Amino acid sequence: MTPDVPRPESAPEPGRDRSDSEILSDAELTILGRIPSASNATLVCDAVLDADTSLRCVYKPVRGEVPLWDFPDGTLAGREVASFLISDALGWDTIPATVHRDGPLGPGMVQRWVETPDNTDHPAPESDARIDLVDLCPPDAVPVGFRAVLRAFDPYGEPVVLVHADDPRLQRMAVLDVILNNADRKGGHVLEGLDGNVYGIDHGICLHEEDKLRTVLWGWAGEAVPGHLVAEIAELAERLETDASALREQLARHITSDEIDALTIRAIVVAESATMPHPPGHRPIPWPPF
């Protein structure tokens, strides 16, 4: 969704460079519109700090969360924030800045909007069109540099293959999903920003203590995790193993101690094995995958 409103110009406060998280936490939220395709109430807003400082963002109020049978009610916004804190602690910048705060419809999650070629005011020409990082294609047309994940049939009964790019930015996201125990990594939750980074969004059903990993990014199953990612995960595990660590205290505001312990174990397993897991036998891919 691209709201039909002027795109704001972001600028730092005079004399100080405000972080995205600070702006999202302190600015006044002005609702611009709703994303109707989202399963939970998802509002596009401008976070306006002053005349010179504003940021486009997404606001998901807790009161708009749809209850789930396997996740406690009212916890999805907190799980989104906790997922960002973990990505940030790893230094990966895989999840846009995300905070938990009050808003026009009550407490909820507020996350920086990711500008992509699909939602920008200046999209790429049609001649520049290319396959998305996660996409469907005919079985005989899997692009070079892409990994096939699943063969299926489209709504018209035609055979298709679910593919994703063999891209280190996407591989880092796949590793993060293992750590987060992401139960809903769909293709539409992968955004290639205009800044050249690849971002993951919609982490409301992550960090459960039971194994619930469901993702479209199975192309690296059973393969070695790159060494620099393993080293950063090992450092994360060390921080999580310290009961009084600042990171654990931050996470404890959003998820339970059992969930933090399960997160710690997942980080230790990945750091020690340095290997991506194989898909489980039951429902390894979220459905629909987009």
Side-chain angles (χ1 to χ4, degrees):
M1 168 184 175
T2 304
D4 187 18
V5 295
R7 192 168 299 279
E9 295 292 335
S10 297
E13 180 180 340
R16 182 183 177 192
D17 184 11
R18 300 293 295 262
S19 71
D20 288 349
S21 293
E22 287 179 310
I23 296 172
L24 295 176
S25 296
D26 300 338
E28 181 178 355
L29 297 182
T30 300
I31 297 176
L32 304 177
R34 179 172 179 172
I35 300 178
S37 59
S39 55
N40 298 294
T42 304
L43 306 169
V44 180
C45 302
D46 274 344
V48 182
L49 195 62
D50 54 44
D52 298 316
T53 310
S54 62
L55 197 63
R56 182 65 46 84
C57 59
V58 173
Y59 164 48
K60 297 181 182 180
V62 172
R63 65 190 292 184
E65 294 179 2
V66 175
L68 301 171
W69 70 269
D70 55 346
F71 281 80
D73 293 350
T75 67
L76 306 192
R79 294 176 190 279
E80 296 234 36
V81 179
S83 297
F84 162 71
L85 291 173
I86 294 161
S87 171
D88 189 55
L90 286 162
W92 289 2
D93 195 26
T94 302
I95 300 176
T98 312
V99 302
H100 199 289
R101 55 162 290 178
D102 200 7
L105 297 178
M109 176 282 274
V110 179
Q111 183 174 82
R112 178 175 65 82
W113 176 270
V114 177
E115 194 167 70
T116 73
D118 293 329
N119 64 33
T120 180
D121 291 336
H122 307 287
E126 289 187 11
S127 59
D128 292 343
R130 58 182 178 79
I131 190 169
D132 291 332
L133 289 172
V134 182
D135 216 331
L136 295 171
C137 66
D140 59 353
V142 175
V144 174
F146 276 68
R147 294 180 176 232
V149 176
L150 175 72
R151 290 180 177 269
F153 293 93
D154 68 15
Y156 304 101
E158 296 296 323
V160 293
V161 180
L162 174 66
V163 300
H164 67 67
D166 190 2
D167 185 311
R169 301 170 300 172
L170 202 60
Q171 185 178 23
R172 185 176 64 176
M173 184 184 297
V175 176
L176 179 62
D177 283 343
V178 175
I179 303 298
L180 296 179
N181 193 20
N182 192 346
D184 194 36
R185 173 63 72 208
K186 296 180 178 179
H189 299 167
V190 178
L191 304 179
E192 187 168 16
L194 293 181
D195 58 5
N197 198 18
V198 172
Y199 297 97
I201 59 171
D202 286 345
H203 295 89
I205 51 176
C206 288
L207 297 165
H208 200 287
E209 60 190 278
E210 299 175 7
D211 184 16
K212 293 183 178 291
L213 181 61
R214 292 191 291 268
T215 175
V216 296
L217 302 178
W218 284 114
W220 294 281
E223 296 187 10
V225 178
H228 65 287
L229 300 183
V230 172
E232 289 156 353
I233 293 168
E235 292 178 7
L236 174 71
E238 287 184 11
R239 293 173 64 181
L240 291 170
E241 285 185 288
T242 303
D243 289 338
S245 73
L247 179 58
R248 284 189 73 102
E249 291 180 4
Q250 288 179 305
L251 293 173
R253 300 170 191 164
H254 306 291
I255 58 177
T256 68
S257 59
D258 287 343
E259 289 168 337
I260 297 174
D261 290 341
L263 162 68
T264 306
I265 292 171
R266 290 193 299 272
I268 292 171
V269 169
V270 173
E272 291 183 348
S273 70
T275 304
M276 290 291 285
H278 287 281
H282 175 67
R283 199 186 172 194
I285 294 176
W287 201 262
F290 289 90

